[in-house]
Amino acid sequence: KARYALFDAQLHTEVAQRLMVESDLRQALARGELSIAYQPLFNIATGRLRGFEALARWQHAERGNIEPGTFIQIAEESGLIVPITQWVIKEVCRQLAAWHAQGRRVVPVSINLDASSLQSVNLVKAAAAALAENGLHASAIEFEVTESSLMRNLDQASGTLEALRNIGVKLSIDDFGTGYSS
């Protein structure tokens, strides 16, 4: 009554696509479609390998490679990023233990934390359990947190970061100067 609505086919298509990706992402972990790519990190001064950054990848059974720029944002907005991050932590620790068993030098692996994972009460427990289960020292992993993630709920984030530091996990700020401090 006394209103009107416009239908936008383009917007409808985009929303339908997003819902399909979100629905498929809910099943991706169970179907084993997620994997981790390890990007090497080098010390520029020495040229030596100083670690790796763990990057989530999704190989959909029917649609092929889903770009991280597509599914990470949807995972963050839907809350699916928390179980995905916990899976990444477990998988990184499993891989580090496997490399160590093969006699390879274990270097730290960085794992990105988003605001939702940083607010999760289970993050510290999940990290400690994955490290212990794989017989790894806490210095084997490093969490990278963006400024914007820290600023969403500073009190909760501070508590989580303090707890991670207390178990010996390395912490770093990613993309410093692009958020609040800029």
Side-chain angles (χ1 to χ4, degrees), residues 7-19:
F7 178 77
D8 185 341
Q10 169 86 19
L11 184 58
H12 175 70
T13 302
E14 289 173 14
V15 169
Q17 176 69 20
R18 185 194 182 293
L19 289 173

Side-chain angles (χ1 to χ4, degrees), residues 47-63:
R48 298 191 68 171
L49 179 69
R50 71 160 196 87
F52 292 98
E53 183 173 1
L55 303 170
R57 297 294 183 251
W58 182 13
Q59 185 67 33
H60 190 280
E62 297 169 3
R63 291 185 282 141

Side-chain angles (χ1 to χ4, degrees), residues 17-157:
Q17 176 69 20
R18 185 194 182 293
L19 289 173
M20 184 173 64
V21 169
E22 182 180 334
S23 176
D24 287 350
L25 187 55
R26 291 186 183 282
Q27 303 301 317
L29 275 173
R31 292 189 302 234
E33 294 178 351
L34 296 181
S35 64
I36 297 176
Y38 293 91
Q39 179 176 306
L41 303 172
F42 292 96
N43 180 321
I44 294 175
T46 65
R48 298 191 68 171
L49 179 69
R50 71 160 196 87
F52 292 98
E53 183 173 1
L55 303 170
R57 297 294 183 251
W58 182 13
Q59 185 67 33
H60 190 280
E62 297 169 3
R63 291 185 282 141
N65 184 43
I66 308 292
E67 291 294 319
T70 300
F71 79 88
I72 295 295
Q73 181 179 354
I74 291 171
E76 288 175 354
E77 292 169 0
S78 66
L80 292 170
I81 196 69
V82 173
I84 290 172
T85 299
Q86 290 179 355
W87 174 82
V88 168
I89 293 167
K90 289 178 187 177
E91 184 61 22
V92 164
C93 289
R94 186 202 60 76
Q95 183 62 63
L96 282 167
W99 285 336
H100 182 70
Q102 295 169 355
R104 295 183 181 174
R105 183 174 70 102
V106 175
V107 293
V109 174
S110 297
I111 300 169
N112 293 307
L113 285 183
D114 67 296
S116 298
S117 294
L118 193 57
Q119 307 303 322
S120 172
V121 295
N122 295 323
L123 175 67
V124 178
K125 290 178 187 175
L131 289 163
E133 182 179 310
N134 290 285
L136 297 170
H137 187 273
S139 64
I141 59 174
E142 176 179 348
F143 287 115
E144 292 185 2
V145 184
T146 62
E147 278 184 272
S148 58
S149 296
L150 288 172
M151 300 314 291
R152 287 216 182 130
N153 184 341
L154 194 54
D155 291 335
Q156 175 69 34

